[in-house]
Amino acid sequence: MIQLSPSDSSKYYFKIYNVLNDSIQEARLVAKNQFTMIRYEVEKNKADNLSLQKDNAEKEFNIVRQRIWTFCVSLLCVTVIVGGTLWYKRRKERMQFEAQNRIKANQLTISRKIHDVVANGLYRVMTEIENREDIDREGILDRLEMMYEKSRDISYETGITPDAEPDCQKQIAELLKSFVTENRKVIIAGNNAEQWEGVTAHIKHEVHHVLQELMVNMRKHSQATDVVIRFDWSPGLLRIFYSDNGVGMPESQVKGNGLTSTGNRISNLDGKITFVNNAGKGLKVEVSIPIF
């Protein structure tokens, strides 16, 4: 219309064209702006959704991690409680077992002391009174008083100090000779005072009780008329040979309490004791004790 209209009318149509063109451009711009806003909103919503998903994932991860930590802590607490309970029960049982063992060991120690000090001592005194016409009353009373003192120490649960007699050779000789009777000879060889000087008081004490136990068992069971005790001294080793011509010793007697105690004494000294029993032909015993 601008091109075909006269010049005076073309200006009018040109103004209308500009108005329409501006309206179209404005409408297009508005539409474009609206699309941009919509797109922005969509992108923003998408970013918000992603951020929200990320936050939710982190929250779920934290919840799972917290549950795992809670489970681990609970399991650890249960393990500690159960383990502590079992450890306490076992410790209590062990302490009770050790206490019972200590009681049994104490009872065995007291029983051995009573057997060595009282029973064998009294038996030795009875043997001397029975077989000797010239009774040494003072000596017997002294030994009875000593046994009384030692038995009182046992009742008070105090340690018994080994006999303080310095002359071990004389002490052992008197012990062995106390079992001599009209029908029984006791022969002693190698009981030298010089050899005993290098032996500790503890070993002397134990050897004295070992010999006393052997002689008491001989007196009670063997019916022997000849008894020989020989001491053999080697560098760092004492060997004691015992033999008699009695009826021998039954197997039950070899394993009796007295000889079991004797074996324990020898073992505590890192020594060895050997019984050679010939039924009806006597008994032989060999004891070896280190004397470093």
Side-chain angles (χ1 to χ4, degrees):
M1 289 180 68
I2 293 172
Q3 291 177 354
L4 297 177
S5 298
S7 60
D8 56 347
S9 299
S10 60
K11 292 181 179 180
Y12 171 74
Y13 289 118
F14 183 75
K15 291 179 180 180
I16 295 174
Y17 170 77
N18 286 332
V19 171
L20 292 175
N21 186 49
D22 291 340
S23 298
I24 290 171
Q25 292 297 329
E26 184 178 357
R28 287 178 177 175
L29 183 61
V30 170
K32 186 177 180 180
N33 291 337
Q34 288 179 350
F35 177 75
T36 303
M37 290 296 296
I38 292 172
R39 185 174 180 180
Y40 171 76
E41 292 293 335
V42 171
E43 293 296 332
K44 183 181 179 182
N45 291 334
K46 187 184 291 184
D48 291 341
N49 288 333
L50 291 175
S51 177
L52 183 61
Q53 290 177 1
K54 181 180 178 181
D55 292 340
N56 290 336
E58 289 180 354
K59 289 180 180 179
E60 291 179 358
F61 174 75
N62 291 332
I63 292 172
V64 172
R65 184 173 62 180
Q66 185 176 5
R67 288 178 179 175
I68 292 174
W69 274 106
T70 303
F71 174 76
C72 292
V73 172
S74 300
L75 181 61
L76 179 62
C77 291
V78 171
T79 303
V80 170
I81 293 173
V82 174
T85 303
L86 293 176
W87 175 82
Y88 175 76
K89 288 183 178 179
R90 290 182 179 178
R91 181 174 179 272
K92 185 177 180 181
E93 292 175 355
R94 185 177 69 253
M95 292 179 66
Q96 290 177 347
F97 180 74
E98 291 176 354
Q100 291 176 356
N101 285 342
R102 285 195 297 269
I103 292 173
K104 290 180 180 179
N106 187 46
Q107 290 174 344
L108 289 174
T109 302
I110 293 175
S111 176
R112 189 179 70 175
K113 289 178 180 179
I114 293 174
H115 177 271
D116 294 339
V117 175
V118 180
N120 283 345
L122 287 175
Y123 194 85
R124 177 184 171 186
V125 172
M126 291 167 54
T127 301
E128 290 188 28
I129 295 174
E130 179 182 0
N131 298 309
R132 288 189 178 182
E133 296 181 359
D134 53 337
I135 299 175
D136 183 6
R137 296 175 59 87
E138 293 297 329
I140 291 176
L141 289 175
D142 289 340
R143 281 201 293 273
L144 289 175
E145 183 178 0
M146 182 179 64
M147 283 187 288
Y148 166 74
E149 295 292 338
K150 291 184 177 182
S151 63
R152 188 176 62 177
D153 291 340
I154 294 173
S155 67
Y156 292 148
E157 297 183 353
T158 60
I160 296 179
T161 305
D163 296 336
E165 294 184 25
D167 193 352
C168 184
Q169 181 268 342
K170 180 180 178 181
Q171 185 180 5
I172 288 178
E174 290 180 354
L175 166 68
L176 299 177
K177 290 178 181 179
S178 65
F179 289 88
V180 174
T181 66
E182 293 181 355
N183 300 320
R184 183 187 305 116
K185 294 185 297 182
V186 177
I187 301 174
I188 308 169
N191 183 28
N192 300 323
E194 296 80 5
Q195 299 289 351
W196 285 109
E197 291 179 358
V199 180
T200 64
H202 177 63
I203 294 178
K204 293 177 182 178
H205 177 73
E206 295 298 304
V207 168
H208 181 275
H209 283 293
V210 168
L211 293 173
Q212 181 173 260
E213 184 65 40
L214 291 175
M215 298 303 291
V216 168
N217 275 279
M218 177 276 300
R219 173 71 172 77
K220 288 181 179 179
H221 306 288
S222 73
Q223 303 177 14
T225 58
D226 292 313
V227 180
V228 178
I229 297 95
R230 180 169 60 88
F231 297 87
D232 185 15
W233 302 89
S234 301
L237 183 67
L238 167 61
R239 299 175 68 187
I240 303 173
F241 297 91
Y242 167 93
S243 64
D244 64 39
N245 64 344
V247 297
M249 187 179 298
E251 188 68 20
S252 59
Q253 182 62 30
V254 173
K255 297 180 180 179
N257 292 333
L259 293 182
T260 300
S261 176
T262 301
N264 292 335
R265 287 182 183 276
I266 301 301
S267 297
N268 292 335
L269 297 175
D270 295 327
K272 182 178 179 182
I273 183 169
T274 304
F275 292 89
V276 180
N277 183 30
N278 295 321
K281 297 181 180 180
L283 174 69
K284 294 182 179 180
V285 181
E286 179 180 345
V287 177
S288 58
I289 303 172
I291 51 174
F292 300 105

